[in-house]
Amino acid sequence: MKLRHPSYSEAYNNLGNLLKQQGDTKGVLDFYWRAVRVRPDYADAYYNLANALNDRHELKLALMRYQQAIATNPSFSEAYSNIGNVFKDLGDPLSAIKNYKRAIFVNPEDTHTMSNKLFCMAANRIYSSDIYLKEARVFNELLQKKR
């Protein structure tokens, strides 16, 4: 299948999503790559490609693709959050927290990323207990608002 028209990028991305649901980890990469080759500014396809690479534990490649998603869409909070997860998995908690903070700046209502940030802060004992407690209170207030 050699589709080149820019509108085919969404078709490639959707085919990648379908293959991911079916568990085809190799085919997924092929279709997400096709989507970004046809449309290099397609942030969602870079994000999906990064997720597929992350699922295969190709963390450094996933990191690059998440960064490309952000380069094409600077307000892509999920990409910042996943960059944080990759840095956490690579053993770099400071970079993880930095990216969690970026995700929260873009989307202050993202309780999942706030939870990841707090967990990373606590697990790595990077910050003082006062700073951690302050962050935990902010998180708790947000959770109370959502109820």
Side-chain angles (χ1 to χ4, degrees), residues 67-137:
Q67 290 167 334
Q68 284 178 295
I70 290 168
T72 60
N73 179 2
S75 63
F76 205 150
S77 65
E78 295 90 347
Y80 285 115
S81 183
N82 283 2
I83 287 174
N85 293 337
V86 169
F87 276 122
K88 178 183 62 76
D89 291 344
L90 289 171
D92 186 349
L94 289 175
S95 294
I97 292 167
K98 178 178 164 184
N99 281 280
Y100 292 145
K101 287 180 178 181
R102 288 177 178 163
I104 294 164
F105 178 79
V106 172
N107 181 6
E109 303 290 313
D110 185 353
T111 56
H112 184 73
T113 299
M114 279 189 181
S115 176
N116 285 345
K117 180 183 82 169
L118 286 171
F119 177 78
C120 194
M121 289 172 67
N124 294 285
R125 299 180 182 174
I126 295 171
Y127 296 96
S128 71
S129 57
D130 291 342
I131 291 172
Y132 179 77
L133 286 172
K134 179 182 173 189
E135 295 280 340
R137 285 186 187 113

Side-chain angles (χ1 to χ4, degrees), residues 6 9-10 34-43 45-46:
S9 60
E10 286 189 34
R34 290 180 190 201
V36 297
R37 271 190 242 124
V38 171
R39 188 173 145 209
D41 66 340
Y42 195 2
Y46 278 117

